Amino acid sequence: MWTCKNLWKKLAPLARSSSTLCRQNARGVVLNNERRLPLVPQAHMSSGTPGSGGDNNLYYLLVGATCVGGGFYAYRTIKGDKERYQERINEIASRPNKVVPEQPITEAPGEQAAETPQAPEPVEEPAPEESVGTPDADPLVESEPSVEPSPIEDTEELPAPVVESEPTPVAESLPAETAEPQTTTESAAEPATVAPAEVPAPTPVEFPSHAPYLLIGGGTASFAAARSIRARDPGARVLIITDEPDLPYMRPPLSKELWFSDDPSVVDTLRFKQWNGKERSIYFQPPSFYVSPQDLEKVENGGVAVLTGKKVVHMDVRGNKVTLSDNTEISYDKCLIATGGVPRNLQVIERAGEEVTKRTTLFRKVEDFKALDKVSRDTKSITIIGGGFLGSELACALGRRSADSDLEVIQMFPEKGNMGKVLPEYLSNWTTAKVKSEGVTVITEALVKAVSYKDGKVEIKLKDGRVVKTDHVVAAVGLEPSVELAKSAGLEVDSDFGGFRVNAELQARSNIWVAGDAACFYDIRLGRRRVEHHDHAVVSGRLAGENMTGANKPYWHQSMFWSDLGPDVGYEAIGIVDSSLPTVGVFAKATAKDTPKAATEKSGTGIRSESETEGTASSPVASSTPEPPPVPEQKDNYGKGVIFYLRDKVVVGIILWNVFNRMPVARKIIKDGEEHADLNEVAKLFNIHED
């Protein structure tokens, strides 16, 4: 490089002088001939020559020599650095060979003997501390795997410079210490190294590290999926993970039948009498139905295991594994997300402080039922905020209980009547009167402005100035889908309806499905929807389980939902039931068999959706008995009837008011999607005029 610089200093003046001479000659030719020479534009450099070819050749020679010299210098520099790097790697790789063997054996040269005091640093326990503080991460990773004096280390030393992750050698060193007694014996001087190796040992005993079918959530959708998977794959091994302490159970009885039980121990047994008089438990299956999680991999014919009290906090879609709240990991082949939702709360209650929060119930789980049952026996007044399904059911249930005690039950909501967002106004008003007859004080058009705790009472201030004082508050204002896993899993959340956005097969990814309240699915008849009802959890969970075993079926089923205001008034609904839509109601006089109690006696089950989802949408047949003309709106009583919800003159939703076991007919009407000139004729298909 130095020679090139000297050569350039000698030849540069010559190049510049030749360039000056060429310019002077060109100027003279122009003056003598009184015209400008035709010049071709060329690129000039400060030290270049636009003239003769000899000067150009010299210039090119100088530039070429400079490039060659620079390249040679870079080559020698890189080669030298590589040799010094390799020498450094070899030196560090030889250090553990001096530490691990016994003292009489000396393999290292004399210059490494001076580094003997540093030898204990990469051994076992101090290794992680040095790996964090030392900037040379690669050499330190190289020293870890070579601690084990086994023949396997010869194969691991080759890719050592490539390994950059520090946790990998640590994970490999722990099994090595437990597998090789020599390593444990030689490190007996440091007993602390034995304890860390035994701490994670109980982890694989509690639950399997891998599950072919992993179901996140322990509700109705997960249980329906597990049952469907086992039906199509009898040897399947299914693991359900739930953050609740209970096995899978049905939620509807928590706000219905359990409150009407005469058994004082119902809170402990969670067994209740259905409207038909038969007794059953809220749990889908007894504990003997399930296998223990630690035995799931050992059971010959597979089974269903439930891991209770564990919450999935992270989902690695690429790695096909989930992380629990205790940092343990479980891998899977196929996964179902059925996380359901959490009850919404009013912001004014959240901001009210701890005293108000302690006296507020968000009703959803078994523990919420037990807590509210205790509150209803220990306090004098309970106020329910919300006029939807849950709020109205709890109001009727607590109102019945207040008849035998001094309990005051208040229900308030912003609508003009109970279930005002679902029922047409005339039927909503009739329902409100029914709730009042159960002993409930109903406050309509109530917008909560502030909530506070004063003088031992929860004080609720409304926007119109009214004030309600109560001992306890139940917030029944809707459900928020649980989509916490969407961020870590990279799954899409629907911006309009909430929930995980899935396709018609309920797939969010190639091996991930979503069912139940958390699924925002595409309805082939009614468009994209998200449904929060028991029957939808059953149907979507069952379909997801079938598709997880290769069925590839689209979601076409119109799920239904039902609500009971005690044993005498109940309704079943399907499709889009929104009071803002045009409605047509056809009613008839009710008989003794037109009650939820009579319906369950006939079907033999208290969970009506279980029988209805098995029904087929066959062609309905109208009653042959003579029928009186329909009465759309009766003044005092709506015994039984059918309410049609229309959109663009097409029926998109149907409510069967005290009409039971006719859901397949309603499902077929919505599925056909036809316009009907006279809905009174369509109502005849439900045989509402039969005695």
Side-chain angles (χ1 to χ4, degrees), residues 77-96:
T77 303
I78 295 175
K79 183 178 180 181
D81 291 343
K82 184 177 181 181
E83 292 176 353
R84 287 190 295 272
Y85 174 79
Q86 189 63 36
E87 291 175 0
R88 177 63 175 167
I89 292 296
N90 295 336
E91 178 185 356
I92 295 176
S94 64
R95 291 180 183 177

Side-chain angles (χ1 to χ4, degrees), residues 443-456:
I443 303 177
T444 61
E445 299 179 281
L447 297 175
V448 180
K449 180 179 180 181
V451 181
S452 60
Y453 181 74
K454 294 181 180 180
D455 301 328

Side-chain angles (χ1 to χ4, degrees), residues 108-162:
E111 61 182 5
Q112 288 186 1
E115 299 177 359
T116 303
Q118 300 177 358
E121 294 180 0
V123 176
E124 298 170 352
E125 186 178 28
E129 298 179 0
E130 186 175 353
S131 64
V132 176
T134 308
D136 297 333
D138 293 338
L140 201 55
V141 171
E142 176 68 22
S143 64
E144 286 287 343
S146 58
V147 174
E148 303 176 7
S150 62
I152 302 177
E153 295 302 320
D154 295 336
T155 61
E156 294 183 354
E157 289 181 358
L158 294 176
V162 182

Side-chain angles (χ1 to χ4, degrees), residues 519-564:
C520 181
F521 62 99
Y522 181 77
D523 189 314
I524 60 175
R525 177 59 59 187
L526 304 176
R528 187 157 293 277
R529 303 173 63 198
R530 189 177 68 82
V531 181
E532 301 174 356
H533 297 293
H534 176 87
D535 185 67
H536 170 69
V538 173
V539 176
S540 62
R542 183 169 57 202
L543 177 64
E546 293 178 358
N547 289 341
M548 292 174 76
T549 54
N552 296 323
K553 294 181 179 179
Y555 189 97
W556 63 268
H557 181 85
Q558 286 294 329
S559 61
M560 57 88 71
F561 62 92
W562 82 98
S563 180
D564 294 335

Side-chain angles (χ1 to χ4, degrees), residues 365-545:
K365 304 177 181 179
V366 169
E367 57 195 44
D368 300 327
F369 163 73
K370 293 181 178 180
L372 186 58
D373 177 81
K374 186 177 185 303
V375 168
S376 66
R377 301 180 188 276
D378 297 341
T379 60
K380 294 184 178 181
S381 63
I382 296 177
T383 298
I384 301 170
I385 302 177
F389 305 108
L390 179 61
S392 299
E393 290 173 358
L394 289 177
C396 287
L398 292 173
R400 280 286 184 95
R401 178 167 293 186
S402 66
D404 301 328
S405 63
D406 295 332
L407 178 66
E408 180 187 14
V409 181
I410 304 171
Q411 184 187 17
M412 60 174 61
F413 42 80
E415 295 81 24
K416 294 182 179 180
N418 283 80
M419 292 176 288
K421 293 182 178 180
V422 176
L423 301 178
E425 184 176 354
Y426 62 89
L427 197 56
S428 174
N429 294 336
W430 184 90
T431 305
T432 303
K434 172 66 177 177
V435 174
K436 290 180 179 180
S437 67
E438 296 290 343
V440 180
T441 301
V442 179
I443 303 177
T444 61
E445 299 179 281
L447 297 175
V448 180
K449 180 179 180 181
V451 181
S452 60
Y453 181 74
K454 294 181 180 180
D455 301 328
K457 293 281 187 179
V458 177
E459 188 175 278
I460 304 174
K461 293 183 179 180
L462 305 181
K463 286 190 175 181
D464 58 5
R466 289 177 291 179
V467 177
V468 177
K469 295 184 179 180
T470 185
D471 294 325
H472 196 83
V473 175
V474 178
V477 292
L479 192 73
E480 193 71 29
S482 298
V483 293
E484 294 86 356
L485 294 177
K487 184 175 182 180
S488 62
L491 303 179
E492 183 181 3
V493 177
D494 191 86
S495 58
D496 296 327
F497 300 97
F500 297 93
R501 192 179 179 93
V502 296
N503 61 13
E505 289 76 26
L506 303 182
Q507 275 185 304
R509 290 289 186 274
S510 60
N511 65 335
I512 298 177
W513 289 258
V514 186
D517 299 341
C520 181
F521 62 99
Y522 181 77
D523 189 314
I524 60 175
R525 177 59 59 187
L526 304 176
R528 187 157 293 277
R529 303 173 63 198
R530 189 177 68 82
V531 181
E532 301 174 356
H533 297 293
H534 176 87
D535 185 67
H536 170 69
V538 173
V539 176
S540 62
R542 183 169 57 202
L543 177 64

Side-chain angles (χ1 to χ4, degrees), residues 551-593:
N552 296 323
K553 294 181 179 179
Y555 189 97
W556 63 268
H557 181 85
Q558 286 294 329
S559 61
M560 57 88 71
F561 62 92
W562 82 98
S563 180
D564 294 335
L565 303 179
D568 299 327
V569 177
Y571 62 89
E572 299 174 354
I574 188 172
I576 300 177
V577 286
D578 187 340
S579 60
S580 63
L581 295 175
T583 62
V584 175
V586 181
F587 291 89
K589 184 178 180 181
T591 63
K593 65 179 182 179

